[in-house]
Amino acid sequence: MEYAVQGTLDELGTPLDQITFVVFDLETTGVSADEHAITEIGAVKVRGGEVLGEFGTLVDPGSPIPPFISVLTGITDAMVTAAPRIDSVLPSFLEFARGSTLVAHNAGFDLSFVRAACAALGYPAPGNPVVDTVVLARRLLTRDEVPNYKLATLAKVFSRTEPCHRALADARATVDVLHALIERAGSFGVHTLEELKGFVRAPTPEQRRKRHLANGVPGEPGVYVFEDDRGEPLYVGKSTNLRNRVRSYFTAAETRPRIREMVAIAERIRTIVCSTPLEAEVRELRMIGSAKPRYNRRSRFPERMVWLKLTDEPFPRLSVVREVRDDGAGYLGPFGSTRAAEDARAALHETIPLRRCTERITPRVGRPACALAGIGRCGAPCEGRQSVEEYGLHAAAARRAMELDASEVFSAIEARMERLSREQRYEEAAADRDRLAAYVRVSARMQRLRGLTSLPELVAAAPLTNGDWEIHVVRHGRLVSAGVMPRGAHPTPFVDALVATAETVVPGPGPVPAASAEETECVLRWLETPGVRLVRVEGGWSLPIGGAGRFRARIELAYRSREQYGDREGRPRR
């Protein structure tokens, strides 16, 4: 006869209402713990739903705060001039957190800065248990409940504190989010810290039950398709090793609520073996774009991309369109959203006095001038104040800024943004930052794409570790053939055969005439991989010397910071 034995407290774990949590947030001068520094620390100590104390201080980073970061956080050099340095702040923060469980939203980001500061000052890195509210939210909340896992989004649902990229306010908002998630976890039988950690890591019963779907999947590069009981695609993915990737969906490593939901519906997995990883990546994009599986979020609607068009008329204007035509107009894009295209248009309008009215005007048919003419922002060709030739100089400048030289637009917006920052008009400066980022990033992207898509044919090869060679044929930016040449084979007949059997391409109009922009970018990334060699190139492959690409590095910090802060509030970037 067996008797039940009551477990010890150690075996049962520590109840969550007895855990002391220190919920903290940092503001920094950038996104790299190795290169950037902390500007603010905020922390809230809680236990059993009660606030036990708060810790908050600005930190002198020892270097100027980039203007883009000041726009994002509101923290300026003047604010941190009298603040303590990190060598004075860190011991106090470590003491405040001693013996607690640390909590942060995308904890890896904040902890990387704490660990870097500890290493620089000779302190041991904190060994506290860690709870990441991003990971917990992704385990507990579905996309039907929240559109994303950013702190700002979760705070709207669970907190009365609005995150504002200031450390203590964001930490307070994270406290409310933590308590709401712990309450939600309780409905799953999670009541101790140990159970909470195990709950985040554990696969669901549906994941365990569906593991047999991965049986027989080959260990080759290719594309996999999760299908429902009717054979409809639920999710399309790619991998350099199909077996390993597919099996991961049925383990604790897969924590995305939406994907776990998909696994519960799936009844079969179809695989397509590809010659090379690049072919698999391209096939994935094409299949997602055509089948539009409901559990894929990326690349489902390439046809929804928008363009900024410099119209072909006597007095051209900038128009946001969804179609590229062979009409002699100038195009900038593609943009992922109308908002981004409008931001880029605003950046061009800030520098070049193009008309903004939508009516078609000619030298013979005009209309009264608008207010922009009165403040010198438009030459009023509608009233005949500018001839076609005079206005044409502005149109030519706009086309040059869109296709060849970004310096005029970049310099004008940067100067205005720095002036607004000095005047502490941060919202206006942030709007200019977004416009400049939209313009520079898309202009640089289009120029890179056009450099490849202008080539009628390109053949390139990359060596593999076993002595084989991956070989790809690209026409007008579209992958048309792929193969692996065995070690020791003669390259000429192999390449000739790939070229002869490659897909025929009739290019259309615009910068991406034969494939989606995403596909051409995949090809470009592969071509830029170390070791890739050009075998044949028909035409000249070049970029404009004054193109927007030379400004990417100057806005990279701002754009990466905005992304990283967004990811701190959503999905960690790894």
Side-chain angles (χ1 to χ4, degrees):
M1 183 174 180
E2 295 183 357
Y3 297 91
V5 179
Q6 180 175 346
T8 66
L9 288 177
D10 289 339
E11 291 171 335
L12 294 174
T14 309
L16 288 169
D17 61 3
Q18 296 179 21
I19 297 293
T20 300
F21 294 103
V22 168
V23 184
F24 77 105
D25 183 75
L26 306 180
E27 302 302 331
T28 64
T29 61
V31 298
S32 170
D34 296 328
E35 301 175 11
H36 303 119
I38 297 169
T39 58
E40 189 175 33
I41 300 178
V44 181
K45 183 179 292 186
V46 294
R47 184 172 61 239
E50 179 184 355
V51 175
L52 304 180
E54 292 187 339
F55 179 97
T57 180
L58 289 167
V59 180
D60 180 359
S63 60
I65 300 175
F68 286 117
I69 300 299
S70 292
V71 170
L72 181 69
T73 66
I75 300 173
T76 64
D77 289 328
M79 293 171 63
V80 298
T81 299
R85 300 291 290 269
I86 189 64
D87 56 355
S88 300
V89 173
L90 184 63
S92 301
F93 173 71
L94 294 177
E95 178 60 28
F96 183 80
R98 186 165 60 88
S100 69
T101 295
L102 293 174
V103 180
H105 209 70
N106 192 1
F109 175 84
D110 298 277
L111 284 171
S112 69
F113 278 86
V114 173
R115 293 185 182 116
C118 287
L121 298 172
Y123 292 97
N128 309 53
V130 177
V131 172
D132 191 331
T133 47
V134 168
V135 176
L136 194 56
R138 291 176 63 197
R139 180 70 170 87
L140 289 165
L141 306 175
T142 68
R143 291 283 186 168
D144 294 330
E145 297 176 274
V146 291
N148 55 59
Y149 303 106
K150 296 180 180 180
L151 179 58
T153 302
L154 299 181
K156 288 179 182 178
V157 179
F158 299 121
S159 177
R160 289 176 294 181
T161 302
E162 181 179 357
C164 57
H165 290 308
R166 292 301 302 271
L168 189 55
D170 287 9
R172 290 167 177 164
T174 306
V175 168
D176 294 335
V177 170
L178 173 68
H179 287 159
L181 294 175
I182 287 177
E183 182 178 356
R184 176 72 65 91
S187 64
F188 291 89
V190 175
H191 302 292
T192 69
L193 181 62
E194 292 74 15
E195 289 172 340
L196 187 67
K197 291 182 176 181
F199 174 74
V200 170
R201 295 191 298 265
T204 65
E206 285 294 336
Q207 283 177 297
R208 290 192 291 266
R209 188 173 66 84
K210 295 291 182 73
R211 283 175 179 168
H212 69 278
L213 296 180
N215 295 341
V217 173
E220 305 290 336
V223 177
Y224 55 91
V225 185
F226 281 82
E227 298 177 340
D228 62 15
D229 56 355
R230 297 175 300 173
E232 294 293 325
L234 298 170
Y235 184 85
V236 176
K238 59 90 177 52
S239 178
T240 57
N241 187 307
L242 288 169
R243 181 187 298 116
N244 292 345
R245 183 68 186 100
V246 169
R247 285 179 176 176
S248 72
Y249 283 88
F250 306 99
T251 69
E254 181 51 74
T255 61
R256 292 170 292 176
R258 186 175 180 83
I259 297 302
R260 288 187 169 190
E261 177 184 301
M262 181 275 296
V263 168
I265 300 172
E267 291 298 329
R268 66 183 62 88
I269 299 173
R270 178 164 58 93
T271 59
I272 303 170
V273 174
C274 299
S275 300
T276 68
L278 177 60
E279 182 189 357
E281 189 171 3
V282 168
R283 279 185 178 271
E284 177 201 33
L285 288 173
R286 294 178 185 175
M287 292 178 69
I288 292 173
S290 60
K292 298 180 177 19
R294 65 179 183 268
Y295 285 94
N296 282 97
R297 290 199 174 272
R298 182 179 63 85
S299 311
R300 288 178 65 195
F301 300 103
E303 68 276 7
R304 293 184 181 177
M305 294 292 182
V306 296
W307 297 80
L308 193 58
K309 175 180 180 179
L310 182 65
T311 58
D312 184 25
E313 54 184 314
F315 298 101
R317 60 187 178 86
L318 293 171
S319 177
V320 178
V321 299
R322 291 196 177 274
E323 183 182 358
V324 175
R325 298 180 178 178
D326 190 9
D327 54 7
Y331 289 91
L332 177 64
F335 294 87
S337 66
T338 300
R339 172 64 181 274
E342 290 172 345
D343 279 346
R345 178 169 61 180
L348 287 162
H349 278 155
E350 188 66 36
T351 310
I352 303 168
L354 293 174
R355 69 184 182 96
R356 307 187 192 184
C357 51
T358 59
E359 294 85 353
R360 184 177 180 85
I361 60 176
T362 69
R364 294 183 180 182
V365 179
R367 63 174 186 78
C370 64
L372 289 172
I375 60 175
R377 304 297 295 274
C378 178
C382 52
E383 286 190 339
R385 300 186 202 175
Q386 283 182 316
S387 66
V388 172
E389 292 75 18
E390 290 170 331
Y391 186 88
L393 297 176
H394 300 314
R399 190 156 189 162
R400 184 171 60 252
M402 293 165 68
E403 298 179 357
L404 298 174
D405 191 348
S407 57
E408 183 179 0
V409 175
F410 186 91
S411 298
I413 301 295
E414 184 183 47
R416 171 181 160 85
M417 186 173 58
E418 290 179 352
R419 175 175 59 80
L420 292 172
S421 295
R422 288 195 300 269
E423 296 171 1
Q424 298 187 7
R425 296 160 63 183
Y426 295 121
E427 290 186 3
E428 295 173 75
D432 278 341
R433 174 203 62 196
D434 293 342
R435 293 165 184 161
L436 183 61
Y439 163 70
V440 170
R441 292 188 77 242
V442 171
S443 183
R445 180 192 189 199
M446 187 187 74
Q447 289 160 8
R448 287 185 72 245
L449 294 174
R450 193 191 292 273
L452 182 60
T453 61
S454 63
L455 303 179
E457 185 173 280
L458 176 147
V459 182
L464 300 177
T465 55
N466 63 356
D468 295 347
W469 286 82
E470 289 182 349
I471 300 180
H472 296 109
V473 183
V474 180
R475 291 173 178 164
H476 295 287
R478 181 180 181 86
L479 180 67
V480 293
S481 189
V484 176
M485 185 180 73
R487 179 179 182 178
H490 196 287
T492 301
F494 190 91
V495 170
D496 288 343
L498 275 183
V499 171
T501 57
E503 175 187 356
T504 299
V505 172
V506 179
V512 283
S516 69
E518 276 194 276
E519 176 176 333
T520 302
E521 284 185 320
C522 288
V523 175
L524 276 169
R525 284 195 297 271
W526 179 79
L527 288 169
E528 293 168 350
T529 303
V532 171
R533 304 180 186 183
L534 299 182
V535 179
R536 299 176 186 171
V537 179
E538 182 179 341
W541 188 7
S542 63
L543 292 174
I545 191 171
R550 64 192 177 117
F551 296 111
R552 286 290 298 270
R554 294 178 62 181
I555 68 165
E556 184 178 354
L557 174 62
Y559 195 81
R560 283 176 60 206
S561 296
R562 183 173 64 176
E563 278 196 333
Q564 181 65 59
Y565 277 102
D567 287 337
R568 288 173 63 192
E569 300 170 348
R571 180 178 300 182
R573 295 174 67 86
R574 294 290 182 263

